[in-house]
Amino acid sequence: MTAMITITINGQKVSAPPGSTVLQAARLASIDIPTLCDHPALASIGACRMCLVEVKGQRTLQPACTFPVTEGMEVQTESPLVVEARRFILDLLFSERNHYCMYCEMSGDCELQKLGYRYGLDHWVYPTYTQRFPVDATRTHFLMDHNRCILCRRCARACSGLVANHTLGVRHRGARSMINADMDVPFGQSSCVSCGTCLQVCPTGALVDKRSAFMGRDVQTEHTKSTCSWCSLGCGMDIVTRGGYVLRVDGDWDAPVNAGLLCQAGRFDPLYDERERVTKPLVREGGKLTEVDWDKAVQAAVNGIKGVSVEGLGVLTSTNATNEALYLLDQVFHKGLGVTNTGLLNEVAARVPARAPGSLEDIAKADLIVVAGADPTEELPVASFLIKRAVDKGARLVVVGDKDNGLAPFAYLSLDAADVGRAVDLAERASHPVIVYGADVSSKTAKALKKLDEKATFVELQLGFNTRAAVAFGLNNGFDPSVAKTLYVLVGEQNWDGAAVMGKLNKEAFVVVQASYESPLTERADVVLPMAIWSERAGSLTNTEGRIQRVQKAAEPKGESKPDWEILSLLAGKMGQKPATSFDEISARAAQAIRPS
Ligand code: SF4
Ligand code: SF4
Ligand code: SF4
Ligand code: FES
């Protein structure tokens, strides 16, 4: 075990691992040192000087966020000299641009404003508002008000160091310095991928979320940790609500999959969904969909299911469903009724049976990454950030596949699928090759990659959402619409109109749809069971690595809609089946079936 280093902070003995900064050591001992440019997820740059401390024997004050600890060091964090220096820095920051807090959306939640209160700033010492800076509102989801910017560069460091997108930089010098995008183009025309990481790390009101602006201060909001349901990565997120209304979604810094990062699909898109919700159970009566109560709707669904032989039953499911719902689909239709005609709404990646199935963490350790049959920039964007980050740190990237790939511009080599052998040769010569593969891997490519079984780590990127769980329940065994006389579709929130499947379905077929939004599919249905959406349900999801993660309810289901698993419980009950007695039991059994211990 490495020996710890002991220092004294404000007379208190503190131990920290070698290589720690004074700030890290202070945090270990819960001693608060104010910061502005520092952020725990970012490399420190010592730019703002807010964390200045007095270190015995040093000629000048030192920034705690970059100053390393040494044995026996003595530090003062709030001495008169330190406080005077911090006040001076705050006076400069407040006079530099427009920090008229009462008109700022971040007022109450701003790190700069909090420090103003902490150090008793009650007037401007220096002239202010001497320069006017522009506001750039060209991005769809958030805007940049340069007047509130303190040039801490957290945004630029997040964009480069965490997202590896390198959109943001600083132009000019001194008082005219400004955060800019690419070669100084409007943000909306830049290479920004709208992941919102810069927005999440900004300490002031310079980067502002358009949708949740002025909707509530942090003390007025609730935070619910959950899991993103929009791709099979399953990023950890923090749903911010006020009075049951979802204001915004932040990345969860503690989540093992994404460590705070989200993509546009996870952070913004679900909040901008303008499709009409289905809020009441509906049954077709006299040719028209009519509102009924839950009991009547479930009975109508059961009549349709029981009215045909097992060979005439078909089940289709979105992989957006929770583990619990997929377990119940399996219990009700496979185990309970013996239905075999079941399918998924998305493709499934053919697995390369690997000796060492890896996880996303392995990407950071690779010296060579082969991405085959997958475009993470489109399908699982946070995975593409992790790959680009590894490339920034020196890993070589080889992209294999016949389609355009968003990672190709970052690749050392882009190969057609037929040339996969060259990627295999390179991987054989690498020290830590990682193969990242997806649903477009052909059996020929899979066979070629399999040669690397002894050498490489394999990371599977599944399409869809909870695909691993759906596959574990055997729900993807080749659905044939032409033989279905009654079709049960759990479409949930997925934007799937079903035209191709419905075109092959018998016109007389009875269709039951479990859905959150109106669509051509719900218009065709005989029974519509309204389903709660991502923020309104509890349960679990299995990500592409096989990690089972919790989904938490942050808002009440709209209208009479119910969570996916609860609807299937009602259906099971009406059919006289009893797969489990409680949510906890369903959840535990689902987990056991997905990942047998
Ligand atoms: S949203 Fe993401 S990609 Fe765009 S500038 Fe911010 S960190 Fe960079
Ligand atoms: S926009 Fe925000 S994060 Fe970026 S430099 Fe300005 S204050 Fe810092
Ligand atoms: S990468 Fe996938 S799981 Fe992560 S935020 Fe984006 S859509 Fe959600
Ligand atoms: S927080 Fe240390 S210099 Fe900014």
Side-chain angles (χ1 to χ4, degrees), residues 120-338:
L121 265 71
D122 52 12
H123 63 286
W124 282 280
V125 173
Y126 304 107
T128 189
Y129 310 137
T130 52
Q131 285 197 83
R132 288 201 179 161
F133 288 87
V135 176
D136 185 327
T138 55
R139 272 185 287 208
T140 307
H141 307 101
F142 58 108
L143 58 81
M144 169 85 199
D145 182 351
H146 292 275
N147 298 286
R148 312 275 195 215
C149 178
I150 56 168
L151 295 168
C152 69
R153 293 163 173 76
R154 280 192 195 177
C155 52
R157 283 179 289 146
C159 189
S160 301
L162 300 182
V163 189
N165 213 54
H166 304 281
T167 301
L168 301 179
V170 183
R171 78 163 197 218
H172 296 313
R173 294 282 173 97
R176 291 178 61 233
S177 301
M178 262 172 65
I179 294 292
N180 70 339
D182 296 336
M183 298 299 280
D184 205 13
V185 297
F187 286 91
Q189 293 168 22
S190 71
S191 59
C192 170
V193 293
S194 290
C195 69
T197 312
C198 53
L199 170 71
Q200 187 168 326
V201 297
C202 180
T204 69
L207 286 164
V208 178
D209 179 29
K210 288 182 180 173
R211 191 174 176 278
S212 65
F214 299 102
M215 298 285 274
R217 310 257 172 267
D218 206 37
V219 288
Q220 297 163 314
T221 59
E222 293 89 45
H223 291 252
T224 308
K225 290 210 173 184
S226 192
T227 302
C228 176
S229 322
W230 300 108
C231 84
S232 67
L233 225 53
C235 293
M237 60 187 194
D238 180 7
I239 308 174
V240 184
T241 52
R242 184 178 182 189
Y245 179 77
V246 179
L247 294 182
R248 65 169 194 279
V249 174
D250 287 336
D252 177 2
W253 296 113
D254 300 325
V257 171
N258 53 316
L261 300 182
L262 291 176
C263 72
Q264 178 183 327
R267 189 188 297 272
F268 298 117
D269 289 352
L271 307 182
Y272 288 75
D273 197 330
E274 290 183 344
R275 289 176 290 166
E276 280 298 319
R277 287 287 297 272
V278 183
T279 56
K280 296 217 155 86
L282 304 170
V283 169
R284 192 166 296 280
E285 288 176 350
K288 261 185 66 182
L289 281 176
T290 311
E291 288 178 11
V292 294
D293 62 22
W294 266 101
D295 191 63
K296 196 165 172 190
V298 175
Q299 186 61 59
V302 170
N303 293 346
I305 291 165
K306 290 208 158 164
V308 296
S309 66
V310 67
E311 294 76 28
L313 278 174
V315 177
L316 268 179
T317 183
S318 160
T319 53
N320 184 276
T322 57
N323 290 339
E324 291 72 15
L326 296 173
Y327 168 78
L328 288 173
L329 270 182
D330 178 46
Q331 289 292 312
V332 171
F333 290 100
H334 280 160
K335 308 255 172 14
L337 299 172

Side-chain angles (χ1 to χ4, degrees), residues 372-423:
D375 184 356
T377 57
E378 290 291 324
E379 296 150 3
L380 307 95
V382 168
S384 75
F385 304 161
L386 302 181
I387 292 168
K388 288 196 286 175
R389 231 151 83 171
V391 171
D392 278 354
K393 295 216 165 92
R396 284 192 297 174
L397 173 64
V398 179
V399 174
V400 181
D402 295 332
K403 293 184 184 164
D404 286 346
N405 195 307
L407 283 177
F410 308 93
Y412 157 77
L413 197 61
S414 287
L415 299 168
D416 291 339
D419 295 328
V420 63
R422 283 182 70 193

